[in-house]
Amino acid sequence: FVNSNHQPPTATAQQPPQTNTMALRMVYDKTMGFAARQYQSVLGNQLSQYGLRYEDLLIEEESAVAEALSNADSDVLISRTRRLKRAIDLGYKRKNLQDYAPDMELDTFKKEISLDIEKIKARDHEYAHLNAHNKM
């Protein structure tokens, strides 16, 4: 039995218009992008005072970071340890790295272990997702 009077549902006022949502999203993305760039600039300046990289701030007790560091090259570990010790020394002396090495080139946001951390987290997430049925 087919009802010939049946009309397909139409868009109502309850559904938000896509253009307003997209416009708000664009404004939000631009605002957050601007704020993120400003924060990155300030953070980069603070890290360069001590000769650190952003990855040096990652907490080693986190499982993904610990695994990435255990799989990293010895050069990566040695340079990380040296940067951390130098930063501790500079902080203790209340000095700036630029006082000792004004011409030193720093790559504050260089990624050496971040990609490994992302892969480890994705692997752990996939493992948890595939084994979710065992928890029931």
Side-chain angles (χ1 to χ4, degrees):
F1 177 80
V2 177
N3 185 354
S4 62
N5 293 335
H6 187 279
Q7 296 288 330
T10 59
T12 62
Q14 296 173 355
Q15 297 175 347
Q18 287 291 352
T19 55
N20 287 343
T21 305
M22 289 174 51
L24 288 173
R25 181 67 180 182
M26 287 176 51
V27 169
Y28 174 78
D29 288 345
K30 286 187 179 188
T31 304
M32 289 305 292
F34 176 76
R37 285 189 298 278
Q38 293 298 319
Y39 177 72
Q40 185 177 15
S41 173
V42 170
L43 181 63
N45 288 337
Q46 291 292 318
L47 291 174
S48 65
Q49 287 181 359
Y50 295 102
L52 290 172
R53 291 186 180 162
Y54 180 74
E55 287 185 342
D56 296 336
L57 302 179
L58 299 176
I59 299 171
E60 295 179 17
E61 283 80 23
E62 186 179 331
S63 62
V65 175
E67 185 176 344
L69 287 172
S70 68
N71 294 335
D73 291 339
S74 62
D75 293 340
V76 172
L77 296 175
I78 291 170
S79 60
R80 176 186 166 98
T81 304
R82 286 181 180 168
R83 286 191 303 271
L84 290 171
K85 286 181 179 180
R86 178 178 59 214
I88 291 168
D89 185 53
L90 289 171
Y92 178 74
K93 293 176 180 177
R94 298 190 188 280
K95 295 287 184 176
N96 190 335
L97 180 64
Q98 300 304 318
D99 296 339
Y100 295 104
D103 298 330
M104 187 176 196
E105 289 291 324
L106 299 174
D107 193 5
T108 308
F109 294 100
K110 182 178 179 181
K111 295 184 177 184
E112 292 180 326
I113 62 171
S114 293
L115 297 175
D116 293 335
I117 293 171
E118 290 174 13
K119 289 178 186 177
I120 291 167
K121 286 182 179 182
R123 181 203 64 201
D124 292 345
H125 178 71
E126 180 182 7
Y127 182 78
H129 183 68
L130 290 174
N131 290 319
H133 67 281
N134 291 336
K135 295 181 180 182
M136 291 183 183

